[in-house]
Amino acid sequence: GAATLTATGYDITLDEPTNDFAAAVSISGAAVTLLDATGLDLGASTITSTLNLTAGGNVTDSGNIAVTGVATINASTNDITLNSSGNTFSTLHVTGADVTLVSNAAIDLGASKVTGNLTLTSNGAVTDSGNLAISGTTTVTATGKDVTFNQSGNTFSGVISVTGANVTLVDSDATDLGA
């Protein structure tokens, strides 16, 4: 069944390689480290410091996720779909195949590697603080907000489509802008 991990104000570390959470995991804690041998569904979660999550399968959400500090999510060659409308992230590093992210506030993408497509929707500004390596298409929707991807090592291999107010894109190789 579902798991609820509550240690408000305290760290949570569940990093055994054999962990296998079969249903949604809801978390309330400070610094959280979570390892799952298979896929992981994050339920409603409030993390007041950092989140380090590694999964051997797809990473999804079934509730709003709020992370105050840096979040690092590694799904290796699997998909990451964090599309609940109330999600809020400060800085988010992702490693995965197809990555879909929704943020109800500004979001900063740290160094990230996406071997498939990146789809990002934000109700706030979108920035990068680390190099982005996106092998597939990149679609960013931040209607009326600024989008600034200005790291010199960014590589966007597929078509880039951006909806935003003021848009800055730096791509270290050839750039293909979509509609």
Side-chain angles (χ1 to χ4, degrees):
T4 301
L5 309 174
T6 304
T8 306
Y10 296 96
D11 297 346
I12 298 172
T13 302
L14 298 171
D15 59 358
E16 290 297 318
T18 57
N19 288 343
D20 187 3
F21 299 96
V25 178
S26 298
I27 306 167
S28 178
V32 175
T33 299
L34 192 58
L35 176 63
D36 192 313
T38 61
L40 183 66
D41 175 19
L42 286 173
S45 297
T46 301
I47 299 159
T48 58
S49 184
T50 58
L51 170 64
N52 290 298
L53 188 151
T54 303
N58 296 335
V59 176
T60 60
D61 65 1
S62 58
N64 294 328
I65 303 166
V67 182
T68 305
V70 175
T72 302
I73 299 175
N74 184 346
S76 186
T77 59
N78 300 290
D79 296 342
I80 299 171
T81 305
L82 304 177
N83 60 359
S84 292
S85 63
N87 289 343
T88 56
F89 301 98
S90 176
T91 299
L92 177 62
H93 301 259
V94 294
T95 301
D98 288 330
V99 176
T100 301
L101 305 170
V102 172
S103 180
N104 194 33
I107 186 171
D108 174 61
L109 290 179
S112 296
K113 181 178 180 181
V114 177
T115 57
N117 301 319
L118 171 65
T119 303
L120 170 61
T121 304
S122 178
N123 286 332
V126 177
T127 58
D128 64 350
S129 60
N131 292 330
L132 307 176
I134 315 299
S135 296
T137 62
T138 301
T139 304
V140 178
T141 304
T143 305
K145 307 297 181 184
D146 293 346
V147 176
T148 306
F149 288 156
N150 61 0
Q151 298 297 307
S152 62
N154 287 344
T155 55
F156 299 97
S157 299
V159 174
I160 305 167
S161 300
V162 179
T163 302
N166 299 300
V167 176
T168 301
L169 294 172
V170 173
D171 189 351
S172 64
D173 55 12
T175 303
D176 185 359
L177 295 177

